[in-house]
Amino acid sequence: MSSAPRKTDTDPAPTGGSTTHFGFQTVPEGEKVKLVHEVFEQVASRYDLMNDLMSGGLHRAWKQTLIDWLNPPRGERAFAHIDVAGGTGDIAFRLLERAGPNAHVTVCDINSHMLGVGQKRAEAQAFAGRVEFVCGDAEKLPFPDRSFDAYTIAFGIRNVTHIEKALEDAFRVLKPGGRFLCLEFSEVAVPGLDAIYDAYSFGAIPKMGKWVTGDAQPYQYLVESIRRFPNQERFKAMIEAAGFARVQYRNLTGGIAAIHSGWRL
């Protein structure tokens, strides 16, 4: 277990209406989307750098492991993929580099600033016609039922207000036989590593964020949001509750991150 506890209790709740967490703060549910939007608006142009800071650069290898486990088809078969909360296109481009010529990726993100970064990168990498960028909410995706062969979300699901709704909508938009994969920071499972990771997370990341961007607060929120996210077994149970079968996970770097997989059968 991590030496900095994964928060389950919240600060005293604001009076009136439902509440949720924003990092270690308790806020009205209706405010979380706006607050998260503001965080990513501030860091959109430096999002990959942000992930480098938070993971020590390991996020690049983790994302490649995600693509390896997905193993998209490399032949002529059509393959419709959705990457949610992936506005900068990092997962989408990795998939298109691996998949066959008839693979198409829809990148859906609630933040238009993130999508703008991804669109510019797609143009620079000549992926026109193989990827589209759509503004939408992970809890209510703007796509018909059974639209996609696979669904990925990397470092995004912990930022939604209702994780269970995002999982249910992931199930809805997948075709029967479709695959769900989620890469997310998780709970350290190696004794000794947890203390080192906590010291780095809370002591170094916000300071580096301030040095790079001039503002430590977005990075403080992101570190806190990791500690609030369900651990591997709890998240596995949530995926199963949404209807997915054959759910399993793989720890990465001692559980600092984990990939969860499930199938719509």
Side-chain angles (χ1 to χ4, degrees):
M1 291 291 289
S2 175
S3 58
R6 304 181 79 81
K7 295 276 287 188
T8 54
D9 297 324
T10 59
D11 298 329
T15 57
S18 299
T19 61
T20 187
H21 57 81
F22 177 73
F24 288 170
Q25 302 176 51
T26 297
V27 298
E29 277 193 355
E31 288 187 13
K32 180 168 181 176
V33 171
K34 177 176 73 72
L35 291 168
V36 171
H37 186 277
E38 289 172 354
V39 167
F40 285 95
E41 185 175 289
Q42 293 178 64
V43 303
S45 63
R46 297 171 183 257
Y47 181 69
D48 287 335
L49 177 58
M50 177 190 74
N51 280 331
D52 280 333
L53 291 175
M54 296 183 69
S55 71
L58 287 169
H59 76 101
R60 301 175 188 275
W62 296 341
K63 289 172 180 174
Q64 202 56 51
T65 301
L66 175 76
I67 299 301
D68 290 344
W69 201 6
L70 175 62
N71 192 25
R74 304 189 191 194
E76 299 294 322
R77 178 167 73 86
F79 184 73
H81 183 90
I82 181 169
D83 184 51
V84 177
T88 63
D90 206 25
I91 295 294
F93 304 150
R94 291 170 186 271
L95 185 144
L96 291 172
E97 288 169 354
R98 173 74 66 87
N102 291 320
H104 182 274
V105 180
T106 298
V107 177
C108 186
D109 199 298
I110 201 170
N111 191 293
S112 59
H113 291 80
M114 299 284 282
L115 291 168
V117 172
Q119 287 174 319
K120 289 179 181 177
R121 291 180 64 193
E123 292 166 4
Q125 297 185 46
F127 283 124
R130 301 187 68 199
V131 58
E132 65 175 330
F133 294 83
V134 178
C135 195
D137 187 339
E139 295 184 22
K140 341 172 244 198
L141 295 168
F143 307 105
D145 297 355
R146 305 185 178 192
S147 296
F148 299 100
D149 296 295
Y151 173 118
T152 52
I153 183 167
F155 305 120
I157 202 164
R158 76 180 187 279
N159 296 309
V160 305
T161 303
H162 305 100
I163 294 172
E164 68 282 0
K165 289 184 179 179
L167 292 171
E168 290 166 3
D169 222 42
F171 187 88
R172 179 186 66 80
V173 300
L174 279 170
K175 300 174 184 177
R179 180 89 176 274
F180 167 87
L181 282 169
C182 176
L183 168 62
E184 189 53 84
F185 289 108
S186 199
E187 184 173 79
V188 176
V190 177
L193 179 60
D194 51 0
I196 296 170
Y197 179 52
D198 285 333
Y200 173 71
S201 297
F202 288 96
I205 290 176
K207 292 177 182 177
M208 286 190 288
K210 183 174 178 59
W211 178 70
V212 171
T213 68
D215 188 358
Q217 187 55 43
Y219 296 85
Q220 183 69 33
Y221 157 71
L222 290 164
V223 169
E224 292 176 359
S225 71
I226 293 168
R227 296 308 187 277
R228 292 301 306 258
F229 191 70
N231 68 18
Q232 290 89 324
E233 286 294 328
R234 286 176 56 211
F235 189 49
K236 177 186 176 188
M238 293 175 74
I239 297 169
E240 291 170 335
F244 289 99
R246 293 165 53 191
V247 179
Q248 56 184 311
Y249 63 85
R250 296 179 179 177
N251 281 334
L252 305 173
T253 316
I256 290 176
I259 302 174
H260 282 75
S261 169
W263 296 83
R264 174 172 180 171
L265 299 181

